Amino acid sequence: KGDDGRWAFEACQESCDTCHGENPCPADGDSTSWIHASGESFKDCAWVAEFSGNRCAQPGSDPLGTYAFRSCPVACRTCGYECGSDDPGWHKEGNQNARDCDWVAAATGVRCDTPGEDGTRAYKSCPKACRACGGRPVQELDECKDSDWHKNNDLSKDCGWITQAAGAIREQRCVAKGEDGSYGFLGCPVACDSC
């Protein structure tokens, strides 16, 4: 991690071969065989997606120690994604200066749902920090649509379930974790207004 709080694979995209648009997401998604260097089988790409801000920089158990950002590019959103700019004026509710979009970027897995002083959640005001570009590859940025996302352990709570709510309840549903470990705002960008 650099002094600016960004991981090398984010700041040095050309050197790390993580340039957006030039590095399309694999058609079959993330690796199904990658696991963390600890050898614990539950620490796979879905585990990485739950806390991608820190886990993308973790080595794998393969002989080369391949990092998660290479084997789990969809979870780490290092393939084919381009997001908007972060709002320099956004900060966590009750925290004027210290907790801004850079703070969110340091732990996206738990901070993208943070409410801001202006009433917006971090994923809306800090799309670059949260890598929240509607979960869409660059080639699809002009097409915003909801996916087949559903809340973890409940197939009935899908993008339609998010749409049925309004205001603060909809915001809460947009930060629910899905079966694949991703937030609702990534799988349901239309419902969550995160295109």
Side-chain angles (χ1 to χ4, degrees):
K1 208 169 205 184
D3 291 340
D4 63 358
R6 294 184 301 161
W7 294 103
F9 67 83
E10 294 174 313
C12 308
Q13 293 178 337
E14 188 173 333
S15 297
C16 293
D17 192 28
T18 55
C19 292
H20 302 300
E22 296 174 16
N23 186 24
C25 292
D28 54 352
D30 287 334
S31 169
T32 55
S33 61
W34 185 92
I35 59 170
H36 185 266
S38 66
E40 297 176 76
S41 62
F42 75 91
K43 292 184 176 179
D44 57 6
C45 288
W47 172 80
V48 169
E50 292 173 2
F51 199 62
S52 63
N54 291 327
R55 293 179 180 169
C56 290
Q58 297 297 312
S61 64
D62 63 324
L64 298 175
T66 306
Y67 284 91
F69 74 86
R70 291 227 182 271
S71 295
C72 311
V74 177
C76 292
R77 295 189 283 295
T78 56
C79 60
Y81 291 94
E82 188 60 64
C83 300
S85 299
D86 292 340
D87 178 353
W90 186 91
H91 59 272
K92 180 181 176 187
E93 189 173 39
N95 259 299
Q96 286 288 336
N97 299 313
R99 306 227 166 136
D100 58 8
C101 291
D102 289 337
W103 172 80
V104 171
T108 59
V110 294
R111 295 181 181 165
C112 288
D113 63 344
T114 303
E117 193 70 43
D118 63 0
T120 65
R121 296 264 181 179
Y123 74 87
K124 284 191 176 180
S125 294
C126 307
K128 189 171 186 176
C130 291
R131 301 184 200 128
C133 39
R136 295 163 295 130
V138 166
Q139 55 269 36
E140 295 177 9
L141 280 176
D142 58 340
E143 180 185 352
C144 184
K145 61 183 178 180
D146 290 340
S147 69
D148 60 355
W149 178 94
H150 62 273
K151 187 176 179 193
N152 193 24
N153 298 320
D154 194 339
L155 291 170
S156 68
K157 294 183 177 175
D158 57 8
C159 295
W161 168 73
I162 291 174
T163 304
Q164 291 170 354
I169 294 173
R170 181 179 284 193
E171 289 291 316
Q172 288 174 341
R173 292 180 180 185
C174 288
V175 294
K177 291 279 185 143
E179 192 74 33
D180 63 356
S182 68
Y183 285 113
F185 66 80
L186 292 172
C188 306
V190 174
C192 294
D193 191 30
S194 61
C195 292

